[in-house]
Amino acid sequence: MDFKLSEEQLAVKEAARDFAQSVLKPGVIERDRTMTFPKDEIRQMGELGFLGMMTDPKYGGGGMDTISYVLAMEEISKVDSSASVVMSVNNSLVCWGIETFGTEEQKMKYLPKLTSGEWIGSFCLSEPEAGSDATSQRTVAIDKGDHYLISGTKNWITNGGTSSLHVVIAQTHPEKGHRGINAFLVETSWDGVEIGAKEDKLGIRASDTHTIMYNEVKVPKENRIGEDGFGFKFAMKVLSGGRIGIAAQALGIASGAYELAAAYSKERIAFGKPIIRHQGVGFKLADMVMNIEAAKMLVYRAAWLKDQGMNYDMAAAMAKLFASETAMKVTVEAVQVHGGYGFVKEYHVERLMRDAKITQIYEGTSEIQRIVLSRNIEKDNLYIPIS
């Protein structure tokens, strides 16, 4: 694997960094405080092509590789995780899922709206009693011949209050277990779709997280993704790719916190010298940068495997697990380096610490990633070395 980035990839990284620093950063603290969804900023992200980066240009996307997407996610997450999670869901879970497994009619109908930012998408899998146990779907989709009637409740839905399209996972044939699950494209304007209250969260507070209720929503047969019973397999495939996006988000959070801590340590004077020269602080920064670089290699490797058309399930689980735990460790230490200043909102690191926690939870908890890895080890599906 060649880790040298191309000129195009570097240009994407720089464009994302410029956008994050000039557009997202000025209002990020206030949006976090007031839980204000970054509507105008997300619209600009759509105009710049950040919401459909990997989608084919014929559907309005950028046609970029996964590494370019990871680089952009990393830079935006350094500043605003609430904006980057919108980008992650729209790119990894919604656009990629529709383009990879949808019909041509579904792609033409929905992808141009999603890639441009005219519409935002949501991925609706989690339920009150079916989070990590995704096989236990209580939301049902009753087959009525030319349409389905969907009823049930989904929770923790990112973009839930602002999205125009939901990818809904529901059970059609309970007697078949996970083989009876289907995936559907549901427009939020349809009768029976009810949006619950916005969640008041520890972190990513400006992102739009809601409970969604479906009350006998009539969904045309042509809005089912794949063959009957394909829904669970679809969800697992989509989530595996989505984990690369969240790994990149975690990497960005860690990198953003490290950059702030390193800069502060060179400016802050204690006992007559910058605190970076005190071993207690200098060693913290050394550990931060070491773990960030290790996480970066795992994240980039998973993205590269995906771009090569190779199996990346195990790589994505490793990247997501290690990057999310690195984000938590690094942000905690970044607060410590800042001392009392790290405990106040003005210096950003306390927000990054709060945002880091969710990366260990959504799109598969750290415990789920370890299950994925241990089951692959049991089957001797060993990680593919790169020559």
Side-chain angles (χ1 to χ4, degrees), residues 10 12 45 63 72 88 95 109 140 152 164 200 211 214-215 283 338 385:
L10 289 170
V12 169
M45 288 172 70
S88 178
C95 288
K109 183 176 182 180
V140 296
S164 299
D200 187 356
T211 294
Y214 301 98
N215 303 303
F283 280 14
H338 280 77

Side-chain angles (χ1 to χ4, degrees), residues 86 94 120 138 151 180 202 214 273 293 344:
V86 177
V94 181
I120 297 296
R138 300 292 181 89
S151 297
L202 170 73
Y214 301 98
K273 57 185 176 182
E293 286 301 306
V344 298

Side-chain angles (χ1 to χ4, degrees), residues 323-386:
S324 63
E325 300 206 341
T326 295
M328 222 33 253
K329 292 175 184 175
V330 168
T331 54
V332 168
E333 291 289 47
V335 171
Q336 192 72 16
V337 168
H338 280 77
Y341 292 104
F343 209 65
V344 298
K345 297 184 182 299
E346 179 185 353
Y347 286 77
H348 294 282
V349 288
E350 65 84 29
R351 186 188 75 258
L352 291 171
M353 184 179 74
R354 289 187 285 106
D355 288 350
K357 185 59 193 174
I358 191 60
T359 66
Q360 295 180 305
I361 298 173
Y362 58 16
E363 294 198 34
T365 63
S366 293
E367 290 74 21
I368 288 294
Q369 305 315 313
R370 287 185 169 92
I371 289 173
V372 170
L373 294 172
S374 62
R375 286 179 178 173
N376 275 277
I377 293 167
E378 183 182 4
K379 296 174 184 177
D380 290 327
N381 293 336
L382 300 180
Y383 198 37
I384 302 171
I386 296 174

Side-chain angles (χ1 to χ4, degrees), residues 101-358:
F101 300 106
T103 64
E104 188 62 24
E105 291 74 19
Q106 290 169 349
K107 297 174 193 178
M108 293 300 298
K109 183 176 182 180
Y110 293 118
L111 286 176
K113 295 179 180 179
L114 291 164
T115 56
S116 67
E118 178 185 350
W119 282 17
I120 297 296
S122 289
F123 186 74
C124 303
L125 173 65
S126 293
E127 298 182 2
E129 297 181 26
S132 294
D133 182 9
T135 61
S136 300
Q137 295 291 301
R138 300 292 181 89
T139 297
V140 296
I142 301 172
D143 192 340
K144 292 293 185 178
D146 65 343
H147 68 276
Y148 290 87
L149 287 180
I150 295 183
S151 297
T153 300
K154 298 291 184 178
N155 64 348
W156 318 122
I157 304 304
T158 300
N159 306 335
T162 52
S163 54
S164 299
L165 185 70
H166 291 173
V167 178
V168 181
I169 311 301
Q171 179 63 264
T172 302
H173 310 286
E175 72 280 2
K176 296 182 180 180
H178 72 276
R179 293 183 176 86
I181 293 172
N182 280 308
F184 302 92
L185 297 171
V186 179
E187 297 181 26
T188 59
S189 61
W190 290 349
D191 290 342
V193 179
E194 182 180 347
I195 312 299
K198 185 174 183 175
E199 301 290 351
D200 187 356
K201 308 186 296 292
L202 170 73
I204 58 167
R205 287 174 56 79
S207 73
D208 211 20
T209 309
H210 290 256
T211 294
I212 313 292
M213 285 76 72
Y214 301 98
N215 303 303
E216 295 193 338
V217 179
K218 185 177 180 180
V219 179
K221 205 75 169 237
E222 57 265 28
N223 274 44
R224 187 186 70 203
I225 300 176
E227 297 298 318
D228 190 20
F230 180 66
F232 182 76
K233 187 175 181 180
F234 166 82
M236 295 303 102
K237 290 287 187 183
V238 168
L239 283 173
S240 188
R243 284 166 185 158
I244 297 175
I246 297 305
Q249 181 187 51
L251 175 61
I253 292 170
S255 298
Y258 163 74
E259 289 178 5
L260 291 167
Y264 180 81
S265 71
K266 297 170 187 176
E267 298 167 359
R268 174 67 168 168
I269 306 298
F271 303 102
K273 57 185 176 182
I275 61 173
I276 193 172
R277 296 184 188 171
H278 294 286
Q279 192 176 87
V281 173
F283 280 14
K284 287 183 187 298
L285 293 163
D287 286 341
M288 285 184 202
V289 76
M290 176 183 65
N291 282 287
I292 288 169
E293 286 301 306
K296 186 178 294 184
M297 293 302 101
L298 286 171
V299 176
Y300 289 10
R301 192 178 192 185
W304 183 85
L305 287 170
K306 185 172 183 288
D307 286 335
Q308 300 307 307
M310 300 168 73
N311 187 303
Y312 57 89
D313 292 348
M314 207 168 174
M318 284 185 180
K320 200 267 188 185
L321 174 60
F322 190 82
S324 63
E325 300 206 341
T326 295
M328 222 33 253
K329 292 175 184 175
V330 168
T331 54
V332 168
E333 291 289 47
V335 171
Q336 192 72 16
V337 168
H338 280 77
Y341 292 104
F343 209 65
V344 298
K345 297 184 182 299
E346 179 185 353
Y347 286 77
H348 294 282
V349 288
E350 65 84 29
R351 186 188 75 258
L352 291 171
M353 184 179 74
R354 289 187 285 106
D355 288 350
K357 185 59 193 174
I358 191 60

